[in-house]
Amino acid sequence: MDNEAQQYTERDRSPRPSEAGTSSVPAGSEETSDTERPEGRSRFAWADRAAESVPGGRYTLAVLICLLFLTLFNTFVMQPFQIPSSSMERSLRIGDRVLVNKLAYRFGSEPRRGDVVVFDGTGYFGNADYVKRVVGVGGDRVVCCDQEGRLEVNGRSVDESSFLYPGDSPSSVPFDVVVPEGRLFLLGDHRGDSSDSRDHLGSPGGGMIPLDAVIGRADWIAWPADHWTRLHRPDAYARVPAAGGAHG
């Protein structure tokens, strides 16, 4: 009896036919995951090696990546500028920090009348970056002033009261200019305290700034917080006709 029981037990322990072809290691077991771990680690091996090569490890690497991103962003996308003077009051105050969109004119678009732009004034205004409002584009005839003391662009009087500094006239200096193609005629909103295209009519370029000197369009006032706002193109120039018909 004992022998029969022992034989039966041994036969019972042998695998059944349906189990003979299956693996004894269940799916998702430790043995299976061990074979996949090196592949998972290899995806980030470059980061591990880079972190080991700098003092501070992963923390330093993360800071360096952030700095690289910010540098590229400032160089090619959007850059902050601080307003140093009152020439653009009341739109921009001294100390305001504006965000300049460097992509605004990079894909075929060009500055439009009313845009606030930052440009490199080297050789034209001075060896610095300036911020002014576009009043005339290539081909425009800009005249100051009409019988009511308003600026004229291509024969159309422009009401600048929505952004002109309170108490200022459009210009205390009369002028009548035609803007060459590929250039801009620029004025500050605070006409009584702005050195702009009017003051450089006799300088090289006639006070007109070439398009390739434009750094970008000022789109936002980012600081101080109580002055945070988006800069919109005013409607004052919306009815100005295209250049060409106003003079010939």
Side-chain angles (χ1 to χ4, degrees):
M1 293 292 293
D2 292 340
N3 289 339
E4 291 179 0
Q6 184 177 3
Q7 291 174 2
Y8 177 81
T9 303
E10 290 176 354
R11 286 197 302 270
D12 189 56
R13 290 175 181 173
S14 62
R16 294 182 176 85
S18 60
E19 299 175 350
T22 60
S23 172
S24 60
V25 181
S29 68
E30 185 177 356
E31 182 178 347
T32 303
S33 62
D34 284 344
T35 61
E36 294 178 352
R37 280 179 185 171
E39 295 179 4
R41 286 197 300 267
S42 65
R43 297 175 185 175
F44 302 99
W46 66 270
D48 293 334
R49 289 194 297 269
E52 292 171 359
S53 65
V54 295
R58 289 181 178 272
Y59 176 78
T60 302
L61 180 62
V63 172
L64 291 175
I65 291 175
C66 289
L67 290 176
L68 176 61
F69 173 79
L70 290 175
T71 300
L72 294 174
F73 188 81
N74 284 345
T75 302
F76 299 107
V77 181
M78 189 165 286
Q79 182 177 354
F81 283 85
Q82 183 171 354
I83 304 303
S85 73
S86 62
S87 68
M88 280 297 293
E89 290 182 342
R90 57 188 169 178
S91 300
L92 301 175
R93 304 178 303 195
I94 296 176
D96 281 354
R97 287 171 173 80
V98 296
L99 296 180
V100 175
N101 182 357
K102 291 187 163 186
L103 299 180
Y105 309 125
R106 297 301 183 199
F107 302 101
S109 298
E110 293 186 354
R112 296 171 58 184
R113 304 179 198 96
D115 285 354
V116 176
V117 299
V118 173
F119 60 94
D120 180 3
T122 303
Y124 302 96
F125 281 29
N127 298 327
D129 295 334
Y130 293 81
V131 56
K132 304 292 178 186
R133 190 179 298 277
V134 178
V135 172
V137 298
D140 283 349
R141 182 182 182 184
V142 186
V143 179
C144 186
C145 292
D146 66 7
Q147 294 181 351
E148 298 182 16
R150 296 174 300 181
L151 203 69
E152 274 189 3
V153 182
N154 297 339
R156 174 77 66 175
S157 297
V158 178
D159 181 6
E160 301 177 289
S161 59
S162 64
F163 54 86
L164 203 63
Y165 187 77
D168 273 8
S169 63
S171 179
S172 59
V173 178
F175 55 84
D176 185 343
V177 298
V178 175
V179 184
E181 292 295 337
R183 291 182 178 266
L184 302 171
F185 189 82
L186 303 158
L187 298 177
D189 289 353
H190 192 348
R191 303 287 161 80
D193 194 27
S194 175
S195 178
D196 44 44
S197 290
R198 300 169 299 167
D199 301 282
H200 299 276
L201 294 176
S203 303
M208 319 291 182
I209 300 299
L211 293 176
D212 58 10
V214 175
I215 297 171
R217 184 181 65 210
D219 280 352
W220 293 89
I221 300 174
W223 189 261
D226 62 350
H227 201 206
W228 183 89
T229 187
R230 182 167 186 174
L231 296 172
H232 296 280
R233 183 184 300 116
D235 295 331
Y237 302 92
R239 299 179 63 187
V240 172
H247 55 276

